[in-house]
Amino acid sequence: PGSFDPITNGHVDLVKRTLRVFDKVVVAIATNPDKDHSLFTVQERLQMIQEAFADFQGRAEADSFQGLLVDYAERKGSTVIIRGLRAVSDFEYEFQMALMNRRLKPKLETLFLMTGESEFYTSSRLVKEVVSLGGDVSGLVPDNVLKKLKQKFKR
Ligand code: PNS
C-alpha cells in the first residue's frame, strides 16, 4: 500500500523483491477524497502502475481503496502488508503504522523489505520536487512515469 504519487523505481524494486517471497502482490493506492493533494489522479496513478508491471504476468495487480488499509486487506484476502524501508528516518513512521494496524487486525502481519542501494534516496516527493524545478530524474522512475512527470510540469 502507498500513495504512489507517482510510482518510483524504489517501489518497482520492492515489488520484485516481494515476488521472490510471495506469488502475488497487490500494489494498492490509498485514496482520501477529502484530503487529496496528489499531483496525479488515482486513474493516472493506476495506469502508471499497470504499465510499470505489464510484463509481470499478472503477479503484480494495481488497485485503489478508500478507508482503512486493514479492512481493504481483509476484503482482498491479503495476509501480509509489505512496506519498504529506506533510511532510518522511515522507521518511526513505519513502526507506528505497523503497530496501529496490528492493533486493528492482529492477524495481519506487516513485513518490511529493504530497498536496493540505488533506491535508498528515491522518494515520490523528492522526484516531484526535482522535476518541478527542472532537474533530471531519469533512472529513478519507470520511463512511462518520467514522460508523465515531464508533461505535468511543462509550462
Ligand atoms: O506512501 P505513503 O504515503 O507512505 O503510504 C501511507 C499509507 C497509504 C500506507 C497509509 O497512509 C495508509 O495505510 N492509509 C490508509 C488509511 C489507513 O489505514 N490509515 C491508518 C494507518 S495506521
Side-chain angles (χ1 to χ4, degrees):
S3 309
F4 302 106
D5 185 40
I7 186 164
T8 68
N9 281 345
H11 297 125
V12 174
D13 173 71
L14 273 180
V15 165
K16 286 182 183 161
R17 287 173 198 283
T18 302
L19 289 175
R20 289 195 198 132
V21 185
F22 296 96
D23 291 333
K24 186 162 179 191
V25 61
V26 180
V27 182
I29 304 168
T31 64
N32 183 347
D34 300 331
K35 273 199 297 180
D36 199 353
H37 307 292
S38 311
L39 174 65
F40 292 101
T41 65
V42 177
Q43 272 318 313
E44 287 173 319
R45 284 181 272 164
L46 270 175
Q47 196 190 340
M48 285 186 280
I49 294 170
Q50 279 157 357
E51 287 167 3
F53 299 119
D55 295 338
F56 283 54
Q57 281 126 13
R59 292 181 69 204
E61 174 192 336
D63 197 11
S64 64
F65 69 97
Q66 275 181 37
L68 283 176
L69 169 62
V70 292
D71 291 337
Y72 169 76
E74 189 166 61
R75 287 200 299 278
K76 282 301 258 191
S78 300
T79 51
V80 178
I81 297 170
I82 306 285
R83 291 283 292 173
L85 281 180
R86 290 164 303 194
V88 181
S89 53
D90 281 345
F91 188 77
E92 194 178 344
Y93 170 59
E94 295 297 336
F95 197 64
Q96 285 175 354
M97 280 202 299
L99 288 181
M100 181 61 84
N101 285 331
R102 183 187 283 171
R103 186 194 152 99
L104 294 167
K105 288 265 191 279
K107 284 191 179 158
L108 191 63
E109 284 299 342
T110 300
L111 208 69
F112 294 103
L113 296 181
M114 217 145 82
T115 54
E117 281 154 49
S118 47
E119 285 83 29
F120 199 69
Y121 52 86
T122 308
S123 73
S124 302
R125 184 183 62 79
L126 270 187
V127 157
K128 283 182 283 192
E129 185 174 322
V130 170
V131 178
S132 74
L133 298 171
D136 180 21
V137 296
S138 39
L140 300 183
V141 294
D143 290 345
N144 63 318
V145 175
L146 188 64
K147 224 162 93 190
K148 288 256 185 207
L149 275 166
K150 284 182 180 165
Q151 282 166 5
K152 276 275 176 198
F153 290 109
K154 206 159 35 184
R155 290 188 200 146

